[in-house]
Amino acid sequence: MATALDSPLVTRNPATGVEVGRASPAAPESVAAVVAEARRAQAAWAGLPWHERRRPLDRWLRILARDADAWADLIRDEVGKPAAEAMAGDVIPSLDSLRWTYGRAWASLIDERIGPGWQRMLLMPAGRLRWRPLGVVGMIGTWNYPLFLNAGPIAQALAAGCGVVWKPSELAVACGERLQASLEEAGFPAGLVGMVQGGGDVGAALLETPIDKVVFTGGVATGRQVLRAAAARGIPAVAELSGFDPAIVLPDAPLEPTVRALLWGAFVGCGQTCVAVKRVLVVGDPKPWAAALADAARRLVVGDPSRPGVDVGPMIDAHARDRFHSLIRSAVEAGAEALAGGGPIEGPGSFYEPTVLLGRTAESERALEGAFGPVVLVRGFASVDEAVAAANSAEMALAASVWGADRSAARAVARRVTAGTVGVNEAVTPAASAAAPFGGFKASGHGRTHGAIGLREFVAPQVLFERRAGGFRPQLFPYGDGRLVARFLRFYRSLFHPRA
Ligand code: NAD
């Protein structure tokens, strides 16, 4: 158990200021003991057959399903999104992800035979590839999808035979407590999953312990600090970092349904979604698109998400809103025109107007990179090539989308975009796929979560080669006269390798 510090971490409903969560932060020096406990439990856990490992996973899935409505309400209250959005974008994808892991992890980690192929002639034995759990994984989480972004990777690590020590975001401590309680209720072995509450100091302390890998979700700047700490310890890392997602709109995209989809893609989670659409890159005249988006954005109902009919809730807190607003101002100073919104909403709660910018210059687009809030910038381009170049010019490359009536033309454009996930007439939703690997390119990070590829982040391949004891031993490199071997190798090369 981690030793708690005195002053508690408190989270407040970002719409009302009412306290939602209260937790004791772990003392940084006590985090190593939690890791040691997880390691003790993990040694036995990794040796259990799959049918025993999957039993508590099944119970955990049932507990989360039982509590689905309570989860949606808690996410609404702690991070400020409408409960229906929390259900559709966080709770249900979490259940789907656990269900995938429960049903498919075993088949994804099954041993494979590696045949010797033509190397049989060199008396190469056959190998057996098996996936060994890495040990204890440290996870450092964020707040915007406080269930999905934590429960999915925790389930996969456990299914793979790892132990986990995780730190929820200090901005979602009630969700952290509830998730840890659900793991305890599910009956995983004591200590196998440890949670430490706290801020960056506790995250940094976790990286100083002998964890075997870190899975980090958060911003680029913190992510790079985490990657440096992981490199100093020589451990691998999954870094799920920010996005600045482009949506390329081709000339044949139908305006009305595309604008509806882009609107949701931009303002889901009050724009505080790593895969939210931030840039609409129109091939042709951007003005009708910017005007339609601005018109629709002005009609969104912003307010306390516990009230019926609210579309967009508050930002997570006043700091985040200030940071966001300064990026909006920079974009405007660099030439963007605010067609809708552009400022904080006065009064209690950290609300911000859904903002649509018409960006006339590359500088205005660049100034917005890193904005994590309710904004979308629209720019026009004379050709597909220019739009693709703009899409790929950002440092971040998490997800992207291409919109157009001719799907094969849109698909051809999609293949040219650098991003971990690319949608054709689709944005945001694919991030909830239980089977598809999720993650970014470039500054958006590396490594993947979800599906078989995400699962393999928690294991390392080990190959066992075996031969019968005694019997004929290949003597290709004898210490004595090597003429026979040299002749054989010439023959082998003539069969299998190109002649120069
Ligand atoms: P953040 O980087 O501020 O914090 C993330 C986590 O890191 C928190 O738990 C924090 O306590 C911890 N932390 C802070 N300093 C640390 C340190 N020195 N060492 C170790 N841990 C430390 O990000 P945030 O505000 O929680 O999240 C918002 C960002 O996350 C956005 O930029 C968003 O795009 C990104 N995000 C990415 C994904 C993804 O899957 N790619 C998903 C959601 C959010």
Side-chain angles (χ1 to χ4, degrees):
M1 275 294 288
T3 315
L5 292 179
D6 291 339
S7 80
L9 288 169
V10 174
T11 54
R12 296 185 180 281
N13 183 320
T16 63
V18 170
E19 180 176 323
V20 177
R22 181 173 283 261
S24 303
E29 62 278 11
S30 69
V31 176
V34 184
V35 173
E37 231 180 294
R39 187 169 300 290
R40 264 193 301 278
Q42 188 264 335
W45 176 251
L48 291 180
W50 171 241
H51 69 269
E52 286 187 39
R53 284 217 296 262
R54 87 182 217 167
R55 230 175 268 142
L57 274 172
D58 180 36
R59 282 196 295 270
W60 190 31
L61 171 57
R62 287 167 194 278
I63 289 164
L64 293 179
R66 177 195 72 197
D67 296 344
D69 291 317
W71 264 108
D73 288 350
L74 179 62
I75 293 166
R76 174 197 64 204
D77 293 344
E78 194 164 45
V79 306
K81 58 180 87 174
E85 194 180 293
M87 179 62 82
D90 200 336
V91 181
I92 289 174
S94 304
L95 299 177
D96 288 346
S97 169
L98 261 68
R99 187 160 176 262
W100 187 95
T101 300
Y102 172 80
R104 304 285 296 277
W106 182 78
S108 306
L109 296 180
I110 213 157
D111 286 6
E112 282 166 45
R113 182 177 182 275
I114 298 181
W118 68 83
Q119 287 185 305
R120 193 186 302 273
M121 284 187 72
L122 296 176
L123 300 172
M124 178 71 70
R128 190 147 204 94
L129 172 73
R130 56 188 293 256
W131 299 100
R132 269 182 76 102
L134 287 178
V136 176
V137 179
M139 291 188 191
I140 300 175
T142 181
W143 50 268
N144 62 342
Y145 289 78
L147 182 57
F148 181 56
L149 296 177
N150 293 312
I154 290 174
Q156 293 225 307
L158 293 172
C162 290
V164 174
V165 176
W166 71 291
K167 189 193 85 62
S169 165
E170 60 274 41
L171 303 177
V173 299
C175 289
E177 293 290 318
R178 183 183 269 272
L179 189 55
Q180 184 64 15
S182 69
L183 284 155
E184 281 161 23
E185 188 186 343
F188 287 99
L192 184 67
V193 191
M195 179 189 66
V196 287
Q197 291 273 17
D201 56 336
V202 177
L206 180 55
L207 290 157
E208 294 296 315
T209 66
I211 51 173
D212 300 291
K213 183 160 191 168
V214 61
V215 175
F216 173 82
T217 310
V220 171
T222 320
R224 288 186 176 172
Q225 269 177 281
V226 167
L227 290 172
R228 274 196 293 275
R233 292 248 355 269
I235 58 167
V238 171
E240 295 288 357
L241 311 180
S242 325
F244 189 42
D245 291 5
I248 297 177
V249 176
L250 299 176
D252 63 348
L255 188 115
E256 195 272 330
T258 306
V259 163
R260 220 173 332 122
L262 292 174
L263 184 80
W264 177 75
F267 298 113
V268 58
C270 191
Q272 301 168 117
T273 297
C274 54
V275 289
V277 174
K278 287 279 178 274
R279 303 176 284 154
V280 173
L281 311 177
V282 179
V283 180
D285 183 4
K287 287 196 200 84
W289 290 87
L293 272 166
D295 189 40
R298 275 191 295 270
R299 279 187 274 115
L300 289 171
V301 180
V302 182
D304 178 348
S306 65
R307 285 203 337 255
V310 165
D311 298 312
V312 179
M315 295 188 64
I316 186 69
D317 61 19
H319 291 302
R321 186 172 68 170
D322 292 348
R323 248 192 339 262
F324 175 70
H325 185 51
S326 75
L327 289 175
I328 297 286
R329 279 210 310 259
S330 309
V332 170
E333 275 159 26
E337 181 189 347
L339 301 188
I345 298 174
E346 295 304 321
S350 42
F351 293 99
Y352 199 95
E353 298 169 313
T355 298
V356 178
L357 302 177
L358 180 58
R360 296 211 167 80
T361 59
E363 291 69 40
S364 62
E365 183 182 328
R366 254 197 307 278
L368 207 59
E369 188 153 13
F372 199 53
V375 66
V376 63
L377 177 137
V378 184
R379 271 186 79 197
F381 296 88
S383 67
V384 171
D385 285 353
E386 284 177 38
V388 169
N392 291 341
S393 69
E395 268 195 64
M396 297 170 193
L398 189 56
S401 54
V402 181
W403 304 77
D406 177 346
R407 276 168 57 186
S408 70
R411 197 180 312 126
V413 176
R415 290 187 203 284
R416 297 169 58 194
V417 178
T418 305
T421 304
V422 188
V424 169
N425 296 318
E426 180 62 283
V428 180
T429 309
S433 164
F438 179 77
F441 282 31
K442 295 163 61 176
S444 291
H446 53 252
R448 295 294 183 264
T449 54
H450 300 298
I453 291 176
L455 184 68
R456 288 187 181 171
E457 294 284 356
F458 300 109
V459 288
Q462 180 185 54
V463 194
L464 297 178
F465 283 105
E466 60 179 68
R467 198 183 277 289
R468 261 183 293 117
F472 174 68
R473 314 304 298 169
Q475 300 294 325
L476 281 179
F477 306 99
Y479 292 121
D481 179 359
R483 272 176 304 181
L484 187 64
V485 170
R487 264 208 300 280
F488 173 74
L489 289 181
R490 256 200 310 279
F491 171 63
Y492 181 86
R493 286 173 56 203
S494 72
L495 281 183
F496 298 116
H497 297 297
R499 265 161 261 228

